Amino acid sequence: MTPQPDTTETEHHPGIPVGLSSASVWPQPARAAFEMAADLGFDGVEVMVWADAVSQDVAALHRLSREHGVPILAVHSPCLLITQRVWSPEPEERLRRAVMAAADLGASTVVVHPPFRWQRRYAEGFSELVGSLEETSGIRVAVENMFPIRPPNRLNRLRGGKSGGLSAFTPSPDPTEVGYGSYTLDLSHAAAAHVDAIELYKRMQDRLAHVHLADGTGAPRDEHLVPGHGSQPCAEVCELLAADGFAGSVVLEVNSRKARNQQERAALLAEALVFARLHLQAPGRPRAG
């Protein structure tokens, strides 16, 4: 039996929606994310569009959403290295398709990464494309903070302890250095980038549309740990979101690949959901538990 989170104090409170990313159940398909979101009591799902055929099929996603009674909060555009030919080999077309899918599915947000360095034409027109798609669709096209590739700790120490690295993104893995209409804040990416997540939140605050809640230790990789299992200020960020009246969604994008079975995966995701609901309560509201 799937463990249920104890949300006695928050289940009827409208609050900030807490969703489950379909990336959190990988390598299982999108269907599993809808099933688990419904079982555990998440407020919705973020669909990561990738090789899974269902994730690319708007009609199939509609059916899953209706079948499980779970709304789709966001669509993650196929902009990973492994999804460079999903929908189209052209990144502009992939982003347009993601926005169209979000509109058809009733999602308010599309998550997109900054362009890769080798996507020169796409990069040159990226700001204009994002702004135009937001204006014409009414969908928030929220550019996500990423991270550079950093050397291992030993090599890093030999270089004087500098935390810089080689960025695959242009002009920067930090979208606030460019300035966009909407942002996605990813706390695991902030950890990998050695960026102060609170300061990044403050830079994004007025245009923050979406949050990927996960933890990290500062290792030179994207860890996506369950919140509270790393060194990131996950609780503090959630409390700031509640205090500031954040109007977007918080999505758990955690790594459950090491779960040995469905019960272990469900327990990890239930723990993450309890953490989010606990710390996203409005100021002055009694804490659950």
Side-chain angles (χ1 to χ4, degrees):
M1 182 175 179
T2 301
Q4 300 294 315
D6 180 7
T7 56
T8 305
E9 293 291 333
T10 59
E11 61 186 351
H12 302 299
H13 177 54
I16 297 170
V18 180
L20 176 67
S21 169
S22 62
S24 296
V25 303
W26 191 88
Q28 294 185 323
R31 171 177 290 277
F34 284 88
E35 292 170 352
M36 194 156 284
D39 285 348
L40 294 175
F42 280 86
D43 297 313
V45 163
E46 176 185 312
V47 175
M48 171 73 80
V49 180
W50 51 15
D52 173 21
V54 170
S55 75
Q56 306 170 29
D57 187 334
V58 170
L61 293 169
H62 260 306
R63 288 193 294 271
L64 284 173
S65 180
R66 290 196 301 269
E67 177 184 346
H68 295 284
V70 176
I72 296 172
L73 303 174
V75 172
H76 196 308
S77 180
C79 45
L80 302 172
L81 285 172
I82 61 173
T83 59
Q84 293 299 289
R85 302 193 73 83
V86 170
W87 281 341
S88 170
E90 299 299 327
E92 298 93 341
E93 180 61 20
R94 292 197 297 273
L95 181 53
R96 290 191 183 96
R97 288 281 298 271
V99 172
M100 290 171 59
D104 288 344
L105 293 166
S108 61
T109 305
V110 165
V111 177
V112 64
H113 297 173
F116 289 117
R117 285 192 175 279
W118 54 86
Q119 296 172 322
R120 293 182 181 178
R121 187 184 66 182
Y122 178 54
E124 287 172 359
F126 183 69
S127 292
E128 291 76 13
L129 176 62
V130 166
S132 174
L133 288 171
E134 281 203 323
E135 183 177 353
T136 57
S137 69
I139 303 294
R140 303 289 297 273
V141 182
V143 186
E144 185 173 14
N145 61 295
M146 301 301 293
F147 55 94
I149 299 170
R150 294 191 289 108
N153 287 340
R154 181 172 179 276
L155 179 57
N156 199 39
R157 287 196 298 271
L158 291 174
R159 295 174 56 192
K162 296 178 180 179
S163 60
L166 175 66
S167 173
F169 303 96
T170 185
S172 169
D174 180 351
T176 67
E177 292 185 8
V178 179
Y180 298 100
S182 301
Y183 298 117
T184 294
L185 171 62
D186 187 301
L187 294 177
S188 176
H189 294 175
H194 286 185
V195 169
D196 185 317
I198 300 294
E199 290 302 316
L200 182 58
Y201 168 78
K202 290 176 180 177
R203 294 198 298 275
M204 289 183 168
Q205 184 176 353
D206 293 342
R207 302 178 185 181
L208 185 62
H210 198 66
V211 175
H212 282 163
L213 183 59
D215 217 329
T217 65
R221 62 185 182 276
D222 193 8
E223 296 174 284
H224 283 283
L225 303 176
V226 170
H229 288 219
S231 59
Q232 288 299 284
C234 296
E236 292 88 340
V237 168
C238 287
E239 289 161 6
L240 284 171
L241 292 169
D244 293 338
F246 176 60
S249 299
V250 171
V251 166
L252 273 303
E253 191 181 65
V254 300
N255 184 346
S256 67
R257 282 174 289 179
K258 292 184 179 180
R260 291 173 294 182
N261 51 49
Q262 191 73 346
Q263 289 71 31
E264 283 194 6
R265 175 172 284 111
L268 283 173
L269 299 180
E271 179 187 346
L273 177 58
V274 168
F275 183 100
R277 289 244 170 91
L278 174 66
H279 293 289
L280 286 169
Q281 293 182 68
R285 188 175 172 80
R287 299 261 174 160

